[in-house]
Each structure stands twice: as structure tokens, then as C-alpha cells.
Amino acid sequence: MGKHGKHLVWDWNGTLLDDIDAVIGATNAAFAELGLEPLTLERYRELYMVPVPQFYERLMGRLPTDAEWTLMDGVFHRHYRARAEDCGLTVGAAELLAARQDSGFTQSLLSLAPHADLVPLVRRHGIAERFLRMDGRPDTSTDGKSGHMVRHLAALEGIRVERVVVIGDAADDALAAAHVGAKAVLYTGGSHSRASLERVGVPVVDSLAEAVAVAEELV
């Protein structure tokens, strides 16, 4: 069960992987397909939300049609995959994961990135062995992380949910944690502005080292 049973569930995009520039570039490539104005980082962080179609609704004034969604989603993932190859881990991430594993604590990875894309990329960064389990999105659904969190924790034997802390960069990470009765810490280096994260009502931090320190205090 790990030292004292404490367990971290890490998010990937925007948390362990420093990919916000790749996300903005891919998003703007998708927007260009529909003639939408490009987004700045600041506007993206202020408006972003999951499910992603609702994020597009905030920008378009309406939900995208099925055809528009299929087009934009395909363009986004094509451009993102090309850009993600050049993205590095967030500063200190590899060292934090290694130190926590060496200390006997457990951790896992849960992402809404497609599972087939997630696992090879994590392995290329040399950190796959730090996690008891890695789960990406198994299908093409647009729902948030809550249902995936239920299945992820159910697959982790011996993990008590009251000793689990989710570390992510999106309000949806905190919602998923609350859905299963876990705690959450949100990191400002990814998809949301600090102001939007603070509205969620969980601890908000500016570094992964601080996220781990706060997580240890929560459980």
C-alpha cells in the first residue's frame, strides 16, 4: 500500500508534462479551420474547461456541431502529437517522482489524453516505472475525469481513497477527486489561470514541489 498508505494520482498534460505551448498551438490550428480568432495563453487559461465542447461554446457562442467537433478534434490531435514530441517534463517532475518512489510512497497517472498516445510518451520520458498504473482515455468520449477516476482507483488494490490526493492543473481534476472522496491540489502551470483555479476551493500552488508538500499535509 505504500508508506502510510498515502497515494498520489498525477495528471499528465499541463502537470507533469510542460505542454501548454503545444496545446495553445494545436488549439489555434483547430480554430483556424473554422475561421475563429487565435487565442492567447491568458485567454485560454481564463476560459478553458472540461468537457472541451463547452470550452468551444464559450468561444463560439454555441456548441460546435458534430461535424465541426470531429474536424476540430482531429486537427487538434494531429497538431498536438507533432508538437508534444518536443515538450519536456515540468521542472523538477522527474526528481519528485523518483524521490517519492524511493521513500516508499505510491503514485499513479490518470490522464484524459488518449491511452494509446499517453503510455509511449510517458515511457519516452523515462518515468513510467514510477507509477503503479497509467491510464489514459480509452475511447473518444468528451466527458471529464470523474468516471475515469472511479475506474482508475478501483484497479489499484489496497489504496484507500481517504489517503489519495489528486495533483492536476484543471478544475476537472478537483471535481474528479471530490467525486470519489479524495483530496486535490491544483497547479498553476497548465490550463487554468490562478484565479479560475482558486474558485474551485482546493489548495492552489505554483510548483510541483509545493504540490507534493501540500498533498502530504492533506492526508
Side-chain angles (χ1 to χ4, degrees):
M1 291 200 308
K3 194 173 182 180
H4 307 305
K6 295 182 180 182
H7 182 83
L8 295 184
V9 177
W10 290 93
D11 174 56
W12 178 240
N13 302 102
T15 304
L16 291 175
L17 185 68
D18 184 14
D19 67 346
I20 189 62
D21 289 339
V23 169
I24 297 296
T27 299
N28 283 334
F31 283 2
E33 292 291 328
L34 297 184
L36 299 175
E37 291 295 318
L39 284 174
T40 63
L41 173 61
E42 291 72 24
R43 183 163 172 76
Y44 180 95
R45 282 178 162 160
E46 191 56 42
L47 296 178
Y48 180 76
M49 66 178 301
V50 175
V52 174
Q54 293 180 18
F55 168 52
Y56 288 163
E57 181 181 22
R58 287 182 167 186
L59 297 162
M60 300 170 65
R62 60 174 175 80
L63 281 170
T65 65
D66 290 345
E68 287 171 335
W69 167 253
T70 298
L71 173 65
M72 295 171 75
D73 190 51
V75 172
F76 172 86
H77 282 103
R78 185 170 70 251
H79 283 267
Y80 176 79
R81 289 184 186 106
R83 289 169 165 82
E85 295 297 325
D86 295 325
C87 294
L89 296 177
T90 299
V91 173
E95 293 80 6
L96 283 168
L97 293 170
R100 199 168 192 284
Q101 184 183 45
D102 290 344
S103 296
F105 294 100
T106 59
Q107 48 204 341
S108 58
L109 182 64
L110 179 63
S111 174
L112 291 180
H115 187 77
D117 294 342
L118 173 70
V119 174
L121 189 55
V122 175
R123 286 176 175 157
R124 281 200 291 277
H125 283 284
I127 58 172
E129 70 277 7
R130 307 301 181 196
F131 306 112
L132 294 182
R133 184 178 180 88
M134 298 184 290
D135 286 318
R137 187 188 292 277
D139 51 36
T140 59
S141 65
T142 61
D143 55 328
K145 193 175 276 186
S146 293
H148 300 290
M149 185 68 72
V150 172
R151 292 186 289 273
H152 181 73
L153 293 182
L156 291 169
E157 295 183 4
I159 301 297
R160 294 162 49 205
V161 69
E162 64 270 20
R163 307 306 303 277
V164 171
V165 182
V166 177
I167 297 179
D169 69 312
D172 187 57
D173 292 301
L175 293 176
H179 182 71
V180 296
K183 303 290 195 305
V185 180
L186 297 178
Y187 164 61
T188 60
S191 61
H192 285 20
S193 66
R194 171 175 271 278
S196 61
L197 291 179
E198 287 176 340
R199 290 194 286 269
V200 180
V202 302
V204 177
V205 299
D206 297 316
S207 72
L208 296 189
E210 187 181 0
V212 171
V214 171
E216 293 293 349
E217 294 175 358
L218 290 176
V219 293

